Amino acid sequence: MRLLRLGPAGSEKPAVLVDDDTYVDVSDIVHDFDEAFFASGRLAELPGLVAGRAAQPIGDQRIGAPIARPHQILCIGLNYSDHAAESGMEVPSEPILFTKSPNTLQGPNDDVIVPKDSAKTDWEVELGIVIGSRASYLADEAAAEAAIAGYVVTNDLSEREWQIERKGQWSKGKSAPTFNPAGPWLVTPDEVGDVLALDMFLDVDGVRRQTGSTSTMVFSPAFIVHYLSQFMTLEPGDLINTGTPPGVGMGMNPPQYLHGGEVLELGIQKLGSQRQRVLPYGG
């Protein structure tokens, strides 16, 4: 099943995708795809609830993030062995964790704004995990898999100077407005299949910059969810960005960054694709 939210920012309505171009409105039976929805367990009921309902075309409606603003956005750094190599850093022995402000979340095709005074805004296509049930001290990876509601495409945009050169937490370079496009839809695990065999890509102005696969992840989604649950309680609807494959601007020689005027296109096999215009601050 694929979940999406349609409508103006802040007024999105929940829906279930029928095919790539049509959907069923479920706003009369589901308030939103938020913490309360995932905690209720109604995700499992949705197929039966939408059966027989008339589908309608998406048309030119705005597609929002497939989940409402989460309790938290957690991120895993250097989780692809080939990305660690291009960054000149060692593959971590344990997941590197940082946070991203939840108000960075936006729709998959919404404009990205280069932050004020930014010189090193970078792109990162990532697999996002959406948590489906409250998770604390999970016993093993099987329990972690059961706690996953689904997967999404995310763009973990980063300001590298603030992230790396300004000391302290990476979060400073990760939390600018518009820095977490997500979607176009949340895909449940049964439709994804092997989550460690998904092709990934990102283009800048039609030029392929990132080509990768979830097969080079250092820590699997199940490992990450189990691991994080030992340190904190994961709430239903929480989003976890799981790292990026090689091809980021920071890793190029010379490095290349976003300044405004570019178009980003990115996607992950079975999870859909995104397209964002990059605008300069104040532009």
Side-chain angles (χ1 to χ4, degrees):
M1 189 165 47
R2 294 179 288 177
L3 311 185
L4 72 162
R5 296 165 70 246
L6 297 167
S11 301
E12 297 93 343
K13 293 184 177 181
V16 175
L17 203 67
V18 175
D19 55 38
D20 289 348
D21 302 309
T22 63
Y23 71 97
V24 169
D25 187 339
V26 294
S27 61
D28 61 323
I29 54 175
V30 174
H31 173 69
D32 206 349
F33 295 140
D34 55 10
E35 179 180 356
F37 167 75
F38 290 110
S40 72
R42 298 193 73 195
L43 178 61
E45 300 174 6
L46 271 185
L49 293 174
V50 302
R53 289 196 167 206
Q56 50 194 307
I58 294 174
D60 59 0
Q61 294 184 80
R62 172 184 174 272
I63 299 176
I67 57 172
R69 183 186 294 189
H71 169 255
Q72 60 185 343
I73 298 177
L74 303 170
C75 305
I76 306 300
L78 298 177
N79 193 34
Y80 283 69
S81 55
D82 37 10
H83 173 54
E86 77 166 346
S87 301
M89 301 180 186
E90 292 185 5
V91 173
S93 58
E94 293 188 52
I96 296 172
L97 173 66
F98 60 94
T99 63
K100 193 160 193 163
S101 177
N103 63 12
T104 60
L105 188 71
Q106 66 170 24
N109 305 316
D110 293 344
D111 295 339
V112 165
I113 310 298
V114 175
K116 182 181 179 181
D117 301 325
S118 168
K120 297 182 179 180
T121 294
D122 205 350
W123 55 83
E124 294 188 29
V125 59
E126 302 204 6
L127 173 75
I129 302 169
V130 176
I131 298 299
S133 58
R134 195 170 188 269
S136 179
Y137 299 118
L138 295 173
D140 51 32
E141 291 187 29
E145 288 182 348
I148 295 174
Y151 300 97
V152 298
V153 180
T154 68
N155 189 354
D156 178 25
L157 289 140
S158 310
E159 212 300 341
R160 300 300 190 187
E161 179 185 3
W162 304 349
Q163 175 190 358
I164 298 170
E165 301 171 38
R166 296 292 297 273
K167 311 302 180 184
Q169 293 290 324
W170 285 8
S171 302
K172 288 189 293 187
K174 297 285 188 171
S175 292
T178 76
F179 262 29
N180 205 125
W185 31 74
L186 180 154
V187 184
T188 52
D190 58 302
E191 286 208 19
V192 174
D194 186 355
V195 73
L196 293 178
L198 304 178
D199 294 332
M200 314 167 72
F201 78 92
L202 183 144
D203 296 346
V204 181
D205 290 334
V207 177
R208 184 61 45 92
R209 294 303 186 194
Q210 289 189 271
T211 301
S213 169
T214 56
S215 64
T216 67
M217 293 179 78
V218 179
F219 305 107
S220 71
F223 182 97
I224 290 168
V225 172
H226 173 260
Y227 179 88
L228 294 180
S229 78
Q230 310 307 307
F231 300 95
M232 66 187 72
T233 299
L234 303 175
E235 300 287 356
D238 280 356
L239 175 63
I240 304 171
N241 294 331
T242 60
T244 196
V248 298
M250 179 179 64
M252 300 177 68
N253 187 18
Q256 295 187 23
Y257 297 109
L258 302 170
H259 302 286
E262 301 90 352
V263 173
L264 303 178
E265 296 178 274
L266 58 146
I268 300 177
Q269 183 182 7
K270 298 184 179 181
L271 302 184
S273 60
Q274 306 181 356
R275 185 181 190 274
Q276 297 122 24
R277 296 186 306 163
V278 182
L279 304 180
Y281 179 79

